[in-house]
PDB file of all heavy atoms in Angstrom:
ATOM      1  N   GLN A 610      -7.496  -7.413 -50.172  1.00  0.00           N
ATOM      2  CA  GLN A 610      -7.127  -7.202 -51.577  1.00  0.00           C
ATOM      3  C   GLN A 610      -6.623  -5.784 -51.825  1.00  0.00           C
ATOM      4  O   GLN A 610      -5.751  -5.566 -52.677  1.00  0.00           O
ATOM      5  CB  GLN A 610      -8.326  -7.486 -52.488  1.00  0.00           C
ATOM      6  CG  GLN A 610      -8.767  -8.938 -52.501  1.00  0.00           C
ATOM      7  CD  GLN A 610     -10.055  -9.143 -53.282  1.00  0.00           C
ATOM      8  OE1 GLN A 610     -10.632  -8.195 -53.828  1.00  0.00           O
ATOM      9  NE2 GLN A 610     -10.516 -10.384 -53.359  1.00  0.00           N
ATOM     10  N   LYS A 611      -7.163  -4.826 -51.068  1.00  0.00           N
ATOM     11  CA  LYS A 611      -6.771  -3.427 -51.250  1.00  0.00           C
ATOM     12  C   LYS A 611      -5.489  -3.071 -50.495  1.00  0.00           C
ATOM     13  O   LYS A 611      -5.056  -1.921 -50.507  1.00  0.00           O
ATOM     14  CB  LYS A 611      -7.908  -2.517 -50.766  1.00  0.00           C
ATOM     15  CG  LYS A 611      -9.118  -2.498 -51.692  1.00  0.00           C
ATOM     16  CD  LYS A 611      -8.821  -1.719 -52.959  1.00  0.00           C
ATOM     17  CE  LYS A 611     -10.055  -1.513 -53.805  1.00  0.00           C
ATOM     18  NZ  LYS A 611      -9.778  -0.719 -55.026  1.00  0.00           N
ATOM     19  N   GLY A 612      -4.909  -4.057 -49.794  1.00  0.00           N
ATOM     20  CA  GLY A 612      -3.653  -3.800 -49.113  1.00  0.00           C
ATOM     21  C   GLY A 612      -3.774  -3.451 -47.643  1.00  0.00           C
ATOM     22  O   GLY A 612      -2.812  -2.922 -47.056  1.00  0.00           O
ATOM     23  N   PHE A 613      -4.907  -3.751 -47.023  1.00  0.00           N
ATOM     24  CA  PHE A 613      -5.091  -3.427 -45.612  1.00  0.00           C
ATOM     25  C   PHE A 613      -5.235  -4.698 -44.764  1.00  0.00           C
ATOM     26  O   PHE A 613      -5.929  -4.714 -43.747  1.00  0.00           O
ATOM     27  CB  PHE A 613      -6.332  -2.547 -45.447  1.00  0.00           C
ATOM     28  CG  PHE A 613      -6.217  -1.222 -46.156  1.00  0.00           C
ATOM     29  CD1 PHE A 613      -6.679  -1.074 -47.457  1.00  0.00           C
ATOM     30  CD2 PHE A 613      -5.600  -0.143 -45.543  1.00  0.00           C
ATOM     31  CE1 PHE A 613      -6.570   0.126 -48.129  1.00  0.00           C
ATOM     32  CE2 PHE A 613      -5.489   1.080 -46.202  1.00  0.00           C
ATOM     33  CZ  PHE A 613      -5.965   1.212 -47.503  1.00  0.00           C
ATOM     34  N   GLY A 614      -4.547  -5.764 -45.198  1.00  0.00           N
ATOM     35  CA  GLY A 614      -4.650  -7.031 -44.483  1.00  0.00           C
ATOM     36  C   GLY A 614      -3.763  -7.134 -43.262  1.00  0.00           C
ATOM     37  O   GLY A 614      -3.844  -8.114 -42.516  1.00  0.00           O
ATOM     38  N   ARG A 615      -2.896  -6.121 -43.010  1.00  0.00           N
ATOM     39  CA  ARG A 615      -1.967  -6.227 -41.883  1.00  0.00           C
ATOM     40  C   ARG A 615      -2.675  -6.214 -40.530  1.00  0.00           C
ATOM     41  O   ARG A 615      -2.080  -6.550 -39.503  1.00  0.00           O
ATOM     42  CB  ARG A 615      -0.957  -5.090 -41.948  1.00  0.00           C
ATOM     43  CG  ARG A 615      -1.545  -3.700 -41.742  1.00  0.00           C
ATOM     44  CD  ARG A 615      -0.478  -2.622 -41.896  1.00  0.00           C
ATOM     45  NE  ARG A 615      -0.977  -1.273 -41.664  1.00  0.00           N
ATOM     46  CZ  ARG A 615      -1.617  -0.546 -42.557  1.00  0.00           C
ATOM     47  NH1 ARG A 615      -1.853  -1.054 -43.774  1.00  0.00           N
ATOM     48  NH2 ARG A 615      -2.029   0.684 -42.274  1.00  0.00           N
ATOM     49  N   PHE A 616      -3.940  -5.826 -40.515  1.00  0.00           N
ATOM     50  CA  PHE A 616      -4.668  -5.754 -39.251  1.00  0.00           C
ATOM     51  C   PHE A 616      -5.258  -7.103 -38.843  1.00  0.00           C
ATOM     52  O   PHE A 616      -5.742  -7.249 -37.723  1.00  0.00           O
ATOM     53  CB  PHE A 616      -5.790  -4.716 -39.355  1.00  0.00           C
ATOM     54  CG  PHE A 616      -5.288  -3.325 -39.623  1.00  0.00           C
ATOM     55  CD1 PHE A 616      -5.279  -2.804 -40.910  1.00  0.00           C
ATOM     56  CD2 PHE A 616      -4.797  -2.539 -38.592  1.00  0.00           C
ATOM     57  CE1 PHE A 616      -4.816  -1.528 -41.159  1.00  0.00           C
ATOM     58  CE2 PHE A 616      -4.332  -1.260 -38.836  1.00  0.00           C
ATOM     59  CZ  PHE A 616      -4.330  -0.752 -40.121  1.00  0.00           C
ATOM     60  N   TYR A 617      -5.208  -8.073 -39.722  1.00  0.00           N
ATOM     61  CA  TYR A 617      -5.819  -9.370 -39.430  1.00  0.00           C
ATOM     62  C   TYR A 617      -4.756 -10.385 -39.015  1.00  0.00           C
ATOM     63  O   TYR A 617      -3.767 -10.593 -39.751  1.00  0.00           O
ATOM     64  CB  TYR A 617      -6.567  -9.891 -40.669  1.00  0.00           C
ATOM     65  CG  TYR A 617      -7.762  -9.059 -41.069  1.00  0.00           C
ATOM     66  CD1 TYR A 617      -7.648  -8.057 -42.026  1.00  0.00           C
ATOM     67  CD2 TYR A 617      -9.006  -9.275 -40.482  1.00  0.00           C
ATOM     68  CE1 TYR A 617      -8.746  -7.287 -42.395  1.00  0.00           C
ATOM     69  CE2 TYR A 617     -10.110  -8.515 -40.852  1.00  0.00           C
ATOM     70  CZ  TYR A 617      -9.968  -7.521 -41.804  1.00  0.00           C
ATOM     71  OH  TYR A 617     -11.050  -6.764 -42.165  1.00  0.00           O
ATOM     72  N   ASP A 618      -4.958 -11.032 -37.893  1.00  0.00           N
ATOM     73  CA  ASP A 618      -4.070 -12.122 -37.470  1.00  0.00           C
ATOM     74  C   ASP A 618      -4.408 -13.409 -38.222  1.00  0.00           C
ATOM     75  O   ASP A 618      -3.541 -14.251 -38.447  1.00  0.00           O
ATOM     76  CB  ASP A 618      -4.191 -12.364 -35.962  1.00  0.00           C
ATOM     77  CG  ASP A 618      -3.675 -11.175 -35.155  1.00  0.00           C
ATOM     78  OD1 ASP A 618      -2.772 -10.481 -35.656  1.00  0.00           O
ATOM     79  OD2 ASP A 618      -4.174 -10.949 -34.038  1.00  0.00           O
ATOM     80  N   THR A 619      -5.678 -13.571 -38.553  1.00  0.00           N
ATOM     81  CA  THR A 619      -6.126 -14.716 -39.346  1.00  0.00           C
ATOM     82  C   THR A 619      -6.934 -14.198 -40.528  1.00  0.00           C
ATOM     83  O   THR A 619      -7.109 -12.986 -40.689  1.00  0.00           O
ATOM     84  CB  THR A 619      -6.994 -15.659 -38.491  1.00  0.00           C
ATOM     85  OG1 THR A 619      -8.137 -14.941 -38.015  1.00  0.00           O
ATOM     86  CG2 THR A 619      -6.203 -16.197 -37.306  1.00  0.00           C
ATOM     87  N   ARG A 620      -7.464 -15.092 -41.318  1.00  0.00           N
ATOM     88  CA  ARG A 620      -8.266 -14.658 -42.460  1.00  0.00           C
ATOM     89  C   ARG A 620      -9.553 -13.991 -41.988  1.00  0.00           C
ATOM     90  O   ARG A 620     -10.120 -14.373 -40.956  1.00  0.00           O
ATOM     91  CB  ARG A 620      -8.603 -15.864 -43.342  1.00  0.00           C
ATOM     92  CG  ARG A 620      -7.393 -16.450 -44.055  1.00  0.00           C
ATOM     93  CD  ARG A 620      -7.815 -17.401 -45.162  1.00  0.00           C
ATOM     94  NE  ARG A 620      -8.743 -18.433 -44.682  1.00  0.00           N
ATOM     95  CZ  ARG A 620      -9.340 -19.307 -45.488  1.00  0.00           C
ATOM     96  NH1 ARG A 620      -9.129 -19.258 -46.792  1.00  0.00           N
ATOM     97  NH2 ARG A 620     -10.159 -20.226 -44.989  1.00  0.00           N
ATOM     98  N   PRO A 621     -10.048 -12.994 -42.713  1.00  0.00           N
ATOM     99  CA  PRO A 621     -11.296 -12.333 -42.321  1.00  0.00           C
ATOM    100  C   PRO A 621     -12.433 -13.339 -42.208  1.00  0.00           C
ATOM    101  O   PRO A 621     -12.537 -14.275 -43.005  1.00  0.00           O
ATOM    102  CB  PRO A 621     -11.542 -11.337 -43.469  1.00  0.00           C
ATOM    103  CG  PRO A 621     -10.192 -11.098 -44.060  1.00  0.00           C
ATOM    104  CD  PRO A 621      -9.452 -12.385 -43.930  1.00  0.00           C
ATOM    105  N   GLY A 622     -13.280 -13.145 -41.196  1.00  0.00           N
ATOM    106  CA  GLY A 622     -14.408 -14.039 -40.970  1.00  0.00           C
ATOM    107  C   GLY A 622     -15.710 -13.270 -40.883  1.00  0.00           C
ATOM    108  O   GLY A 622     -15.750 -12.044 -41.063  1.00  0.00           O
ATOM    109  N   PRO A 623     -16.796 -13.972 -40.555  1.00  0.00           N
ATOM    110  CA  PRO A 623     -18.122 -13.339 -40.576  1.00  0.00           C
ATOM    111  C   PRO A 623     -18.445 -12.517 -39.341  1.00  0.00           C
ATOM    112  O   PRO A 623     -19.433 -11.786 -39.347  1.00  0.00           O
ATOM    113  CB  PRO A 623     -19.068 -14.545 -40.677  1.00  0.00           C
ATOM    114  CG  PRO A 623     -18.325 -15.657 -40.007  1.00  0.00           C
ATOM    115  CD  PRO A 623     -16.883 -15.431 -40.334  1.00  0.00           C
ATOM    116  N   ARG A 624     -17.659 -12.643 -38.245  1.00  0.00           N
ATOM    117  CA  ARG A 624     -17.950 -11.883 -37.019  1.00  0.00           C
ATOM    118  C   ARG A 624     -17.178 -10.572 -37.027  1.00  0.00           C
ATOM    119  O   ARG A 624     -15.951 -10.562 -37.161  1.00  0.00           O
ATOM    120  CB  ARG A 624     -17.608 -12.692 -35.770  1.00  0.00           C
ATOM    121  CG  ARG A 624     -17.851 -11.920 -34.462  1.00  0.00           C
ATOM    122  CD  ARG A 624     -17.621 -12.791 -33.246  1.00  0.00           C
ATOM    123  NE  ARG A 624     -18.679 -13.788 -33.130  1.00  0.00           N
ATOM    124  CZ  ARG A 624     -19.862 -13.550 -32.561  1.00  0.00           C
ATOM    125  NH1 ARG A 624     -20.134 -12.346 -32.082  1.00  0.00           N
ATOM    126  NH2 ARG A 624     -20.758 -14.496 -32.477  1.00  0.00           N
ATOM    127  N   TRP A 625     -17.893  -9.466 -36.859  1.00  0.00           N
ATOM    128  CA  TRP A 625     -17.264  -8.147 -36.844  1.00  0.00           C
ATOM    129  C   TRP A 625     -16.293  -8.064 -35.674  1.00  0.00           C
ATOM    130  O   TRP A 625     -16.607  -8.448 -34.547  1.00  0.00           O
ATOM    131  CB  TRP A 625     -18.321  -7.059 -36.726  1.00  0.00           C
ATOM    132  CG  TRP A 625     -17.750  -5.673 -36.655  1.00  0.00           C
ATOM    133  CD1 TRP A 625     -17.521  -4.936 -35.534  1.00  0.00           C
ATOM    134  CD2 TRP A 625     -17.333  -4.854 -37.752  1.00  0.00           C
ATOM    135  NE1 TRP A 625     -16.987  -3.716 -35.855  1.00  0.00           N
ATOM    136  CE2 TRP A 625     -16.851  -3.631 -37.209  1.00  0.00           C
ATOM    137  CE3 TRP A 625     -17.313  -5.046 -39.129  1.00  0.00           C
ATOM    138  CZ2 TRP A 625     -16.374  -2.612 -38.007  1.00  0.00           C
ATOM    139  CZ3 TRP A 625     -16.831  -4.014 -39.931  1.00  0.00           C
ATOM    140  CH2 TRP A 625     -16.368  -2.818 -39.371  1.00  0.00           C
ATOM    141  N   SER A 626     -15.102  -7.539 -35.933  1.00  0.00           N
ATOM    142  CA  SER A 626     -14.064  -7.485 -34.910  1.00  0.00           C
ATOM    143  C   SER A 626     -13.333  -6.151 -34.966  1.00  0.00           C
ATOM    144  O   SER A 626     -13.526  -5.350 -35.894  1.00  0.00           O
ATOM    145  CB  SER A 626     -13.060  -8.630 -35.108  1.00  0.00           C
ATOM    146  OG  SER A 626     -12.317  -8.434 -36.315  1.00  0.00           O
ATOM    147  N   GLU A 627     -12.455  -5.960 -34.003  1.00  0.00           N
ATOM    148  CA  GLU A 627     -11.652  -4.741 -33.972  1.00  0.00           C
ATOM    149  C   GLU A 627     -10.711  -4.688 -35.174  1.00  0.00           C
ATOM    150  O   GLU A 627     -10.376  -3.599 -35.667  1.00  0.00           O
ATOM    151  CB  GLU A 627     -10.861  -4.675 -32.664  1.00  0.00           C
ATOM    152  CG  GLU A 627      -9.952  -3.463 -32.509  1.00  0.00           C
ATOM    153  CD  GLU A 627     -10.711  -2.132 -32.478  1.00  0.00           C
ATOM    154  OE1 GLU A 627     -11.962  -2.155 -32.345  1.00  0.00           O
ATOM    155  OE2 GLU A 627     -10.062  -1.080 -32.576  1.00  0.00           O
ATOM    156  N   ALA A 628     -10.282  -5.864 -35.644  1.00  0.00           N
ATOM    157  CA  ALA A 628      -9.419  -5.875 -36.829  1.00  0.00           C
ATOM    158  C   ALA A 628     -10.154  -5.317 -38.048  1.00  0.00           C
ATOM    159  O   ALA A 628      -9.578  -4.549 -38.832  1.00  0.00           O
ATOM    160  CB  ALA A 628      -8.955  -7.309 -37.114  1.00  0.00           C
ATOM    161  N   ASP A 629     -11.437  -5.664 -38.189  1.00  0.00           N
ATOM    162  CA  ASP A 629     -12.230  -5.108 -39.289  1.00  0.00           C
ATOM    163  C   ASP A 629     -12.333  -3.590 -39.159  1.00  0.00           C
ATOM    164  O   ASP A 629     -12.154  -2.857 -40.144  1.00  0.00           O
ATOM    165  CB  ASP A 629     -13.635  -5.721 -39.286  1.00  0.00           C
ATOM    166  CG  ASP A 629     -13.620  -7.221 -39.550  1.00  0.00           C
ATOM    167  OD1 ASP A 629     -13.148  -7.630 -40.614  1.00  0.00           O
ATOM    168  OD2 ASP A 629     -14.077  -7.971 -38.677  1.00  0.00           O
ATOM    169  N   ARG A 630     -12.632  -3.132 -37.954  1.00  0.00           N
ATOM    170  CA  ARG A 630     -12.819  -1.692 -37.756  1.00  0.00           C
ATOM    171  C   ARG A 630     -11.536  -0.927 -38.074  1.00  0.00           C
ATOM    172  O   ARG A 630     -11.561   0.115 -38.744  1.00  0.00           O
ATOM    173  CB  ARG A 630     -13.257  -1.415 -36.324  1.00  0.00           C
ATOM    174  CG  ARG A 630     -13.772   0.020 -36.111  1.00  0.00           C
ATOM    175  CD  ARG A 630     -13.735   0.417 -34.651  1.00  0.00           C
ATOM    176  NE  ARG A 630     -12.368   0.491 -34.158  1.00  0.00           N
ATOM    177  CZ  ARG A 630     -11.526   1.484 -34.415  1.00  0.00           C
ATOM    178  NH1 ARG A 630     -11.903   2.510 -35.179  1.00  0.00           N
ATOM    179  NH2 ARG A 630     -10.303   1.476 -33.934  1.00  0.00           N
ATOM    180  N   ARG A 631     -10.389  -1.448 -37.605  1.00  0.00           N
ATOM    181  CA  ARG A 631      -9.122  -0.754 -37.831  1.00  0.00           C
ATOM    182  C   ARG A 631      -8.746  -0.759 -39.318  1.00  0.00           C
ATOM    183  O   ARG A 631      -8.198   0.222 -39.837  1.00  0.00           O
ATOM    184  CB  ARG A 631      -8.018  -1.396 -37.002  1.00  0.00           C
ATOM    185  CG  ARG A 631      -8.192  -1.207 -35.496  1.00  0.00           C
ATOM    186  CD  ARG A 631      -7.073  -1.861 -34.715  1.00  0.00           C
ATOM    187  NE  ARG A 631      -5.796  -1.232 -35.036  1.00  0.00           N
ATOM    188  CZ  ARG A 631      -4.611  -1.812 -34.836  1.00  0.00           C
ATOM    189  NH1 ARG A 631      -4.553  -3.038 -34.347  1.00  0.00           N
ATOM    190  NH2 ARG A 631      -3.500  -1.170 -35.135  1.00  0.00           N
ATOM    191  N   ALA A 632      -9.051  -1.855 -39.994  1.00  0.00           N
ATOM    192  CA  ALA A 632      -8.748  -1.919 -41.428  1.00  0.00           C
ATOM    193  C   ALA A 632      -9.610  -0.932 -42.215  1.00  0.00           C
ATOM    194  O   ALA A 632      -9.127  -0.237 -43.118  1.00  0.00           O
ATOM    195  CB  ALA A 632      -8.965  -3.339 -41.947  1.00  0.00           C
ATOM    196  N   VAL A 633     -10.906  -0.839 -41.846  1.00  0.00           N
ATOM    197  CA  VAL A 633     -11.787   0.121 -42.507  1.00  0.00           C
ATOM    198  C   VAL A 633     -11.313   1.540 -42.220  1.00  0.00           C
ATOM    199  O   VAL A 633     -11.281   2.400 -43.120  1.00  0.00           O
ATOM    200  CB  VAL A 633     -13.244  -0.067 -42.027  1.00  0.00           C
ATOM    201  CG1 VAL A 633     -14.133   1.065 -42.547  1.00  0.00           C
ATOM    202  CG2 VAL A 633     -13.795  -1.409 -42.487  1.00  0.00           C
ATOM    203  N   GLU A 634     -10.932   1.809 -40.972  1.00  0.00           N
ATOM    204  CA  GLU A 634     -10.459   3.154 -40.620  1.00  0.00           C
ATOM    205  C   GLU A 634      -9.224   3.516 -41.443  1.00  0.00           C
ATOM    206  O   GLU A 634      -9.091   4.651 -41.924  1.00  0.00           O
ATOM    207  CB  GLU A 634     -10.149   3.214 -39.126  1.00  0.00           C
ATOM    208  CG  GLU A 634      -9.671   4.592 -38.666  1.00  0.00           C
ATOM    209  CD  GLU A 634      -9.294   4.625 -37.196  1.00  0.00           C
ATOM    210  OE1 GLU A 634      -9.051   3.543 -36.630  1.00  0.00           O
ATOM    211  OE2 GLU A 634      -9.232   5.722 -36.622  1.00  0.00           O
ATOM    212  N   ALA A 635      -8.300   2.565 -41.574  1.00  0.00           N
ATOM    213  CA  ALA A 635      -7.098   2.842 -42.360  1.00  0.00           C
ATOM    214  C   ALA A 635      -7.460   3.144 -43.811  1.00  0.00           C
ATOM    215  O   ALA A 635      -6.873   4.049 -44.436  1.00  0.00           O
ATOM    216  CB  ALA A 635      -6.143   1.646 -42.288  1.00  0.00           C
ATOM    217  N   PHE A 636      -8.418   2.404 -44.380  1.00  0.00           N
ATOM    218  CA  PHE A 636      -8.839   2.678 -45.758  1.00  0.00           C
ATOM    219  C   PHE A 636      -9.466   4.069 -45.860  1.00  0.00           C
ATOM    220  O   PHE A 636      -9.189   4.821 -46.806  1.00  0.00           O
ATOM    221  CB  PHE A 636      -9.838   1.614 -46.216  1.00  0.00           C
ATOM    222  CG  PHE A 636     -10.440   1.921 -47.558  1.00  0.00           C
ATOM    223  CD1 PHE A 636      -9.729   1.684 -48.724  1.00  0.00           C
ATOM    224  CD2 PHE A 636     -11.713   2.471 -47.661  1.00  0.00           C
ATOM    225  CE1 PHE A 636     -10.287   1.983 -49.972  1.00  0.00           C
ATOM    226  CE2 PHE A 636     -12.268   2.774 -48.894  1.00  0.00           C
ATOM    227  CZ  PHE A 636     -11.548   2.528 -50.059  1.00  0.00           C
ATOM    228  N   GLN A 637     -10.322   4.410 -44.893  1.00  0.00           N
ATOM    229  CA  GLN A 637     -10.973   5.726 -44.920  1.00  0.00           C
ATOM    230  C   GLN A 637      -9.944   6.850 -44.831  1.00  0.00           C
ATOM    231  O   GLN A 637     -10.047   7.864 -45.534  1.00  0.00           O
ATOM    232  CB  GLN A 637     -11.979   5.818 -43.768  1.00  0.00           C
ATOM    233  CG  GLN A 637     -13.202   4.908 -43.935  1.00  0.00           C
ATOM    234  CD  GLN A 637     -14.033   4.810 -42.675  1.00  0.00           C
ATOM    235  OE1 GLN A 637     -13.527   4.966 -41.570  1.00  0.00           O
ATOM    236  NE2 GLN A 637     -15.326   4.535 -42.845  1.00  0.00           N
ATOM    237  N   ARG A 638      -8.928   6.673 -43.999  1.00  0.00           N
ATOM    238  CA  ARG A 638      -7.891   7.698 -43.897  1.00  0.00           C
ATOM    239  C   ARG A 638      -7.071   7.799 -45.180  1.00  0.00           C
ATOM    240  O   ARG A 638      -6.573   8.869 -45.525  1.00  0.00           O
ATOM    241  CB  ARG A 638      -6.984   7.396 -42.699  1.00  0.00           C
ATOM    242  CG  ARG A 638      -7.667   7.633 -41.350  1.00  0.00           C
ATOM    243  CD  ARG A 638      -6.717   7.441 -40.189  1.00  0.00           C
ATOM    244  NE  ARG A 638      -7.357   7.741 -38.919  1.00  0.00           N
ATOM    245  CZ  ARG A 638      -7.497   8.967 -38.422  1.00  0.00           C
ATOM    246  NH1 ARG A 638      -7.009  10.008 -39.091  1.00  0.00           N
ATOM    247  NH2 ARG A 638      -8.098   9.159 -37.266  1.00  0.00           N
ATOM    248  N   SER A 639      -6.953   6.672 -45.876  1.00  0.00           N
ATOM    249  CA  SER A 639      -6.218   6.716 -47.148  1.00  0.00           C
ATOM    250  C   SER A 639      -6.975   7.526 -48.201  1.00  0.00           C
ATOM    251  O   SER A 639      -6.383   7.976 -49.187  1.00  0.00           O
ATOM    252  CB  SER A 639      -5.986   5.296 -47.669  1.00  0.00           C
ATOM    253  OG  SER A 639      -7.194   4.708 -48.142  1.00  0.00           O
ATOM    254  N   GLN A 640      -8.285   7.736 -47.956  1.00  0.00           N
ATOM    255  CA  GLN A 640      -9.085   8.565 -48.857  1.00  0.00           C
ATOM    256  C   GLN A 640      -9.027  10.043 -48.478  1.00  0.00           C
ATOM    257  O   GLN A 640      -9.691  10.879 -49.097  1.00  0.00           O
ATOM    258  CB  GLN A 640     -10.545   8.099 -48.842  1.00  0.00           C
ATOM    259  CG  GLN A 640     -10.736   6.612 -49.104  1.00  0.00           C
ATOM    260  CD  GLN A 640     -10.152   6.179 -50.429  1.00  0.00           C
ATOM    261  OE1 GLN A 640     -10.502   6.704 -51.484  1.00  0.00           O
ATOM    262  NE2 GLN A 640      -9.214   5.223 -50.384  1.00  0.00           N
ATOM    263  N   GLY A 641      -8.275  10.333 -47.398  1.00  0.00           N
ATOM    264  CA  GLY A 641      -8.159  11.714 -46.949  1.00  0.00           C
ATOM    265  C   GLY A 641      -9.221  12.123 -45.959  1.00  0.00           C
ATOM    266  O   GLY A 641      -9.339  13.303 -45.619  1.00  0.00           O
ATOM    267  N   TRP A 642      -9.992  11.156 -45.451  1.00  0.00           N
ATOM    268  CA  TRP A 642     -11.053  11.473 -44.502  1.00  0.00           C
ATOM    269  C   TRP A 642     -10.482  11.531 -43.085  1.00  0.00           C
ATOM    270  O   TRP A 642      -9.538  10.822 -42.740  1.00  0.00           O
ATOM    271  CB  TRP A 642     -12.164  10.427 -44.573  1.00  0.00           C
ATOM    272  CG  TRP A 642     -12.782  10.302 -45.934  1.00  0.00           C
ATOM    273  CD1 TRP A 642     -12.703  11.202 -46.956  1.00  0.00           C
ATOM    274  CD2 TRP A 642     -13.538   9.197 -46.433  1.00  0.00           C
ATOM    275  NE1 TRP A 642     -13.376  10.750 -48.057  1.00  0.00           N
ATOM    276  CE2 TRP A 642     -13.915   9.522 -47.768  1.00  0.00           C
ATOM    277  CE3 TRP A 642     -13.956   7.984 -45.897  1.00  0.00           C
ATOM    278  CZ2 TRP A 642     -14.667   8.654 -48.556  1.00  0.00           C
ATOM    279  CZ3 TRP A 642     -14.715   7.127 -46.679  1.00  0.00           C
ATOM    280  CH2 TRP A 642     -15.070   7.454 -47.984  1.00  0.00           C
ATOM    281  N   ARG A 643     -11.088  12.363 -42.258  1.00  0.00           N
ATOM    282  CA  ARG A 643     -10.658  12.506 -40.864  1.00  0.00           C
ATOM    283  C   ARG A 643     -11.889  12.615 -39.965  1.00  0.00           C
ATOM    284  O   ARG A 643     -13.009  12.795 -40.432  1.00  0.00           O
ATOM    285  CB  ARG A 643      -9.781  13.766 -40.692  1.00  0.00           C
ATOM    286  CG  ARG A 643      -8.470  13.715 -41.467  1.00  0.00           C
ATOM    287  CD  ARG A 643      -7.529  12.648 -40.915  1.00  0.00           C
ATOM    288  NE  ARG A 643      -6.249  12.645 -41.614  1.00  0.00           N
ATOM    289  CZ  ARG A 643      -5.978  11.891 -42.668  1.00  0.00           C
ATOM    290  NH1 ARG A 643      -6.922  11.106 -43.181  1.00  0.00           N
ATOM    291  NH2 ARG A 643      -4.784  11.936 -43.234  1.00  0.00           N
ATOM    292  N   GLY A 644     -11.652  12.536 -38.669  1.00  0.00           N
ATOM    293  CA  GLY A 644     -12.741  12.708 -37.701  1.00  0.00           C
ATOM    294  C   GLY A 644     -13.801  11.632 -37.835  1.00  0.00           C
ATOM    295  O   GLY A 644     -13.515  10.447 -38.023  1.00  0.00           O
ATOM    296  N   GLY A 645     -15.072  12.059 -37.786  1.00  0.00           N
ATOM    297  CA  GLY A 645     -16.180  11.126 -37.857  1.00  0.00           C
ATOM    298  C   GLY A 645     -16.289  10.420 -39.184  1.00  0.00           C
ATOM    299  O   GLY A 645     -16.906   9.350 -39.276  1.00  0.00           O
ATOM    300  N   ALA A 646     -15.699  10.974 -40.225  1.00  0.00           N
ATOM    301  CA  ALA A 646     -15.738  10.323 -41.532  1.00  0.00           C
ATOM    302  C   ALA A 646     -14.788   9.132 -41.595  1.00  0.00           C
ATOM    303  O   ALA A 646     -14.865   8.324 -42.523  1.00  0.00           O
ATOM    304  CB  ALA A 646     -15.388  11.316 -42.629  1.00  0.00           C
TER     305      ALA A 646
END
Side-chain angles (χ1 to χ4, degrees):
Q610 294 173 0
K611 287 287 188 178
F613 298 92
R615 66 183 182 278
F616 298 98
Y617 294 94
D618 294 330
T619 60
R620 292 194 307 174
R624 178 175 289 276
W625 178 263
S626 67
E627 179 63 12
D629 296 300
R630 193 200 66 76
R631 293 180 63 201
V633 171
E634 181 183 19
F636 173 78
Q637 291 169 333
R638 289 185 177 278
S639 72
Q640 308 302 303
W642 301 343
R643 296 293 183 268

